[in-house]
Amino acid sequence: MTGQLLAAVVVASNRAAAGVYDDATGPVIVDWLVEQGFACDAPAVVPDGDPVGEAIRAAVDAGARVVLTTGGTGLTPTDRTPEATRPLLDREVPGIAEAIRAYGLQAGVPTAMLSRGLAGVAGQCLVVNLPGSRGGVRDALAVLGPVLRHAAEQVVGSDHP
């Protein structure tokens, strides 16, 4: 497909990275990105913390225009995805993360307000932290659907010659 942008998915999960169980959210996000017209390989499944930042940086360095993470956005001591993401961002896009949380709340999920996920721009890449639950991922993708391609194109000024 002409105009296909590269995307990447990073799964933050200590247990999935250790092989305790198979990740259930990464493949859903990859399939959704492909349906949206992005080129996307299998998700990178890494432990919480610094490995998340390393995986995001690797995807950005490889030319990804969108990186979606899942997991590590809650309140447990090992949930460190926002902390691994923030230093990589040149600027934040708070409206995306706020919209994801608001969508979950409107859908009747009070724990959506506990997500600390971020969204922002790293170089020419839009990075968005999604929750780790299947429902949270579903809600986040519903929010991103109408704006993701436009946002990825705006990051490089595609609609402003």
Side-chain angles (χ1 to χ4, degrees), residues 35-126:
E35 289 171 9
Q36 299 297 309
F38 290 87
C40 190
D41 290 332
V45 181
V46 299
D48 287 307
D50 291 340
V52 174
E54 293 162 10
I56 294 169
R57 172 57 58 205
V60 170
D61 290 347
R65 295 281 299 283
V66 170
V67 175
L68 301 181
T69 71
T70 178
T73 64
L75 301 179
T76 72
T78 60
D79 287 334
R80 308 298 294 165
T81 296
E83 290 76 15
T85 302
R86 183 170 272 120
L88 303 174
L89 300 178
D90 299 314
R91 51 199 171 152
E92 291 190 30
V93 185
I96 294 173
E98 292 164 3
I100 291 170
R101 285 186 282 273
Y103 188 95
L105 286 169
Q106 290 172 348
V109 182
T111 55
M113 74 176 78
L114 301 179
S115 175
R116 301 178 307 110
L118 301 174
V121 176
Q124 295 189 330
C125 181
L126 178 68

Side-chain angles (χ1 to χ4, degrees), residues 4 7-9 23-43 68 137 141 148:
Q4 202 170 37
V9 176
D23 165 57
T25 56
V28 169
I29 300 168
V30 168
D31 289 347
W32 181 85
L33 284 164
V34 170
E35 289 171 9
Q36 299 297 309
F38 290 87
C40 190
D41 290 332
L68 301 181
V137 165
L141 297 179
L148 188 61

